[in-house]
Amino acid sequence: MKMPNLNEARIRNKSEVRYYDADIIKNPSLFQNKKYYLKTYGCQMNVHDSELIRALLENVGFTETDKMNNADLIILNTCAIRENAHDKVFGFLGRCKHIKKTINPNLVIALCGCMAQEPTVCEEIQSKYKYIDLVFGTHNIHELPRLLLNKMNKTDFEVESIEGDVVEGLEYKRDSKVQAWVNIMYGCDKFCTYCIVPYTRGKQRSRTSEKILEECKKLKEDGYKEVTLLGQNVNAYGKDLSQEISFAELLKRVAELGIERVRFVTSHPWDFTDEMIDVIAKYDNIMPYIHLPLQSGSSRILKLMGRRYTKEEYLDLYDKIKAKVKNAAITTDIIVGFPGETEEDFKETLEVVERCKFDGAFTFIFSKRVGTPAEKLPDDTSLEEKEERLHRLNELVNKYSLEHNQEYVGKTVKVLLTDVSEKDANQLAGYTETMKLVNVKADKSCMNTICDVKITEAKSFSLNGEVD
Ligand code: SAH
Ligand code: SF4
Ligand code: F3S
């Protein structure tokens, strides 16, 4: 049994990163006829981790079910970025408890992901939620089959607060046949003062470019049309390895493999080099879409957040990208109500939004995370005031997002159709090169292909169109 520890999670550069191949158990008779139900919260990192969990479980005989009542194993892959995730997850666990009590007393309930890395969560489970059988952390995912085999009668905790290894030789059961996530780095060393990720995901450690390129090449051979390079901070790629190439060079080499669409997420304004902008501008198969989190438009607040750039530096970078990358769409993340944010600070955020006219923004009210420096900062703004700021911000963000979408009406654009539309089961849905969601009148045979789509209507958060 191993429990997480925030003081250990805070440590950096104590030990060398270990690179090793996972020892994956492949024996379908181990859990033959057993079913699992998997629920995923959080960012793309978690979505991709869930693709690993699926492969690990199916290697040892499990099949997936979408009905909780039929499951022998329920796994919740959780997110810790904001406090409200806690209530959602524990609400869901209550439903699992009910199933265990009334339908299947042998049900195994497991919790993993970033919440598992929070000592307060593990302590709470240990003392109050004894019906949870297994808790495993973000560093321990590949050990899942062994953990299930070893499971004792009491809750088993396997949550390491290590700086982190790089485990290779993993297989994923990817959700899509054409769109794939590829981890290029794990963890984060930025320690923005509000953020829990450096504690839940460990230190920044890059995979070798050789392994990344090998994985991308294989994906192309398998018919994948879109690859998204994944990391909390992709442009810091390679900085932890003396002999590695830069992110710009990696991006270039991936693009040169000839995959039709190459994307990356997320980029921090701090490490965004001119070389990167040039590479994005030069290669047609690197998509002209950049998620560039602003967080706040006030340099004073940015400093308190530990973001390492000022409002002016952000705007300069923004202008440079817009000038060099044709038709680039830029989206952002913004936090309102950071401790000490005044009405003046907030107005600066609104001004930056007005100036940049983002294609879209994810907006959040600051949420206090245990163990982060911002937890201790004095905060005298009421929740009501923060909600009001969020509302004003969203009005502005939505206005520009609609304006951008309206520019598409009448144009024909390329869309990778990957889903049945949520709005109309007779339609397909997919994303433009600039990451706009489009609901498309198209024949089912267009599924998983890149189609020319004529845009007929614009809404704030999506477009409608038909195959041209
Ligand atoms: N690595 C990414 C961020 C991942 S978290 C980056 O640096 O851009 C996604 C977003 O959640 C962040 O950009 C931030 O806007 C928001 N977020 C993170 N911690 C938060 C907190 N404590 N309260 C509110 N929002 C938060
Ligand atoms: Fe969190 Fe900052 Fe790292 Fe992003 S860069 S994951 S916001 S600490
Ligand atoms: Fe959430 Fe962990 Fe991602 S906290 S946002 S799932 S890295």
Side-chain angles (χ1 to χ4, degrees):
M1 171 166 133
K2 283 188 197 120
M3 294 286 268
N5 177 313
L6 276 184
N7 289 329
E8 285 171 19
R10 200 172 277 127
I11 297 173
R12 284 298 183 269
N13 297 321
K14 195 187 69 175
S15 52
E16 280 281 299
V17 174
R18 289 187 305 147
Y19 285 71
Y20 60 89
D21 280 338
D23 186 11
I24 303 289
I25 307 175
K26 288 191 185 173
N27 181 353
S29 59
L30 288 173
F31 293 95
Q32 211 175 10
N33 302 328
K34 298 281 186 208
K35 293 194 170 54
Y36 72 94
Y37 177 95
L38 174 61
K39 171 116 183 131
T40 309
Y41 299 90
C43 66
Q44 291 93 336
M45 219 68 65
N46 261 14
V47 172
H48 191 41
D49 284 349
S50 282
E51 293 183 331
L52 172 60
I53 292 172
R54 287 195 172 88
L56 291 169
L57 290 175
E58 295 182 21
N59 279 339
V60 290
F62 278 98
T63 50
E64 186 163 9
T65 173
D66 57 2
K67 297 194 180 59
M68 284 169 74
N69 290 354
N70 294 345
D72 302 286
L73 166 68
I74 296 182
I75 301 188
L76 264 68
N77 190 5
T78 61
C79 170
I81 204 86
R82 281 168 291 276
E83 213 173 2
N84 59 8
H86 179 278
D87 296 346
K88 258 195 261 169
V89 165
F90 280 92
F92 197 92
L93 284 168
R95 284 168 61 195
C96 301
K97 179 185 180 188
H98 182 73
I99 296 173
K100 195 164 179 164
K101 230 167 141 185
T102 57
I103 300 176
N104 179 6
N106 297 321
L107 173 67
V108 174
I109 303 173
L111 184 140
C112 66
C114 288
M115 263 174 70
Q117 295 289 147
E118 290 185 278
T120 49
V121 169
C122 283
E123 282 151 21
E124 194 179 353
I125 291 176
Q126 207 172 29
S127 62
K128 286 201 264 169
Y129 299 89
K130 301 211 184 322
Y131 61 90
I132 298 174
D133 302 281
L134 174 65
V135 180
F136 59 100
T138 58
H139 299 286
N140 307 88
I141 301 175
H142 60 284
E143 297 171 67
L144 175 59
R146 182 181 64 73
L147 297 173
L148 287 171
L149 287 169
N150 292 352
K151 209 193 63 59
M152 299 160 282
N153 286 333
K154 61 179 172 48
T155 311
D156 191 358
F157 287 84
E158 195 74 10
V159 184
E160 286 187 292
S161 289
I162 52 174
E163 291 184 63
D165 305 329
V166 172
V167 184
E168 290 292 350
L170 302 173
E171 286 169 23
Y172 295 86
K173 188 181 175 225
R174 299 185 187 271
D175 293 342
S176 160
K177 294 271 169 283
V178 288
Q179 195 279 330
W181 308 107
V182 173
N183 284 123
I184 64 165
M185 60 185 308
Y186 301 98
C188 181
D189 283 352
K190 286 281 187 283
F191 285 98
C192 302
T193 58
Y194 50 80
C195 184
I196 196 158
V197 172
Y199 310 86
T200 65
R201 294 274 169 175
K203 86 166 159 200
Q204 177 189 304
R205 54 219 191 268
S206 303
R207 287 178 75 195
T208 63
S209 53
E210 192 192 342
K211 293 282 186 196
I212 297 166
L213 290 164
E214 204 176 279
E215 185 174 345
C216 293
K217 192 160 164 268
K218 175 84 175 39
L219 287 165
K220 178 168 191 298
E221 286 162 8
D222 291 345
Y224 280 82
K225 296 189 164 72
E226 183 175 288
V227 162
T228 305
L229 305 179
L230 204 56
Q232 285 299 350
N233 224 313
V234 288
N235 31 356
Y237 173 79
K239 292 195 163 184
D240 50 307
L241 295 173
S242 55
Q243 74 284 40
E244 263 309 338
I245 55 177
S246 67
F247 178 65
E249 180 63 27
L250 178 73
L251 195 56
K252 184 172 147 215
R253 293 194 195 172
V254 173
E256 284 174 353
L257 293 173
I259 298 159
E260 285 174 81
R261 291 178 159 203
V262 178
R263 298 188 185 278
F264 54 92
V265 75
T266 293
S267 28
H268 188 295
W270 168 248
D271 295 307
F272 217 107
T273 59
D274 289 356
E275 193 193 356
M276 256 180 86
I277 304 178
D278 292 338
V279 170
I280 300 166
K282 181 169 165 202
Y283 289 86
D284 285 345
N285 59 340
I286 300 179
M287 295 296 100
Y289 164 70
I290 293 158
H291 185 62
L292 193 67
L294 166 70
Q295 312 301 3
S296 168
S298 151
S299 296
R300 192 182 76 82
I301 295 296
L302 285 170
K303 187 144 194 238
L304 289 174
M305 288 176 161
R307 288 293 286 182
R308 313 180 200 199
Y309 54 84
T310 60
K311 164 172 124 181
E312 290 72 25
E313 284 163 344
Y314 184 93
L315 291 173
D316 284 350
L317 174 63
Y318 179 93
D319 290 344
K320 237 190 297 184
I321 296 172
K322 281 282 185 186
K324 287 201 173 163
V325 185
K326 285 200 302 287
N327 304 322
I330 301 186
T331 57
T332 198
D333 289 347
I334 297 170
I335 299 175
V336 302
F338 186 82
E341 182 191 71
T342 62
E343 176 63 22
E344 276 59 46
D345 292 316
F346 175 65
K347 280 202 177 120
E348 284 195 72
T349 299
L350 293 180
E351 279 161 25
V352 174
V353 172
E354 269 172 4
R355 156 91 148 67
C356 294
K357 303 185 172 48
F358 293 107
D359 283 77
F362 297 103
T363 56
F364 313 97
I365 290 182
F366 167 75
S367 170
K368 202 188 265 193
R369 305 311 290 123
V370 174
T372 61
E375 182 198 1
K376 305 256 156 37
L377 293 176
D379 186 2
D380 51 13
T381 313
S382 68
L383 181 62
E384 205 182 1
E385 175 78 32
K386 293 185 182 192
E387 281 169 348
E388 199 257 339
R389 284 182 196 166
L390 182 71
H391 180 72
R392 279 154 68 200
L393 175 63
N394 285 344
E395 299 252 292
L396 200 61
V397 163
N398 296 349
K399 177 180 133 190
Y400 291 120
S401 151
L402 179 62
E403 275 182 27
H404 280 287
N405 282 350
Q406 281 164 342
E407 290 162 13
Y408 282 74
V409 177
K411 290 193 180 143
T412 297
V413 289
K414 295 206 179 300
V415 180
L416 173 56
L417 293 164
T418 49
D419 291 292
V420 171
S421 161
E422 276 180 19
K423 300 224 165 109
D424 178 348
N426 291 317
Q427 294 196 13
L428 300 181
Y431 287 90
T432 64
E433 297 194 330
T434 49
M435 208 67 176
K436 307 277 178 199
L437 174 64
V438 195
N439 291 297
V440 185
K441 279 189 196 147
D443 191 83
K444 289 265 181 302
S445 63
C446 295
M447 186 66 129
N448 288 340
T449 66
I450 296 175
C451 284
D452 284 323
V453 172
K454 182 159 186 194
I455 303 302
T456 51
E457 196 188 344
K459 310 209 169 143
S460 283
F461 307 110
S462 65
L463 299 166
N464 290 337
E466 51 201 34
V467 172
D468 206 19

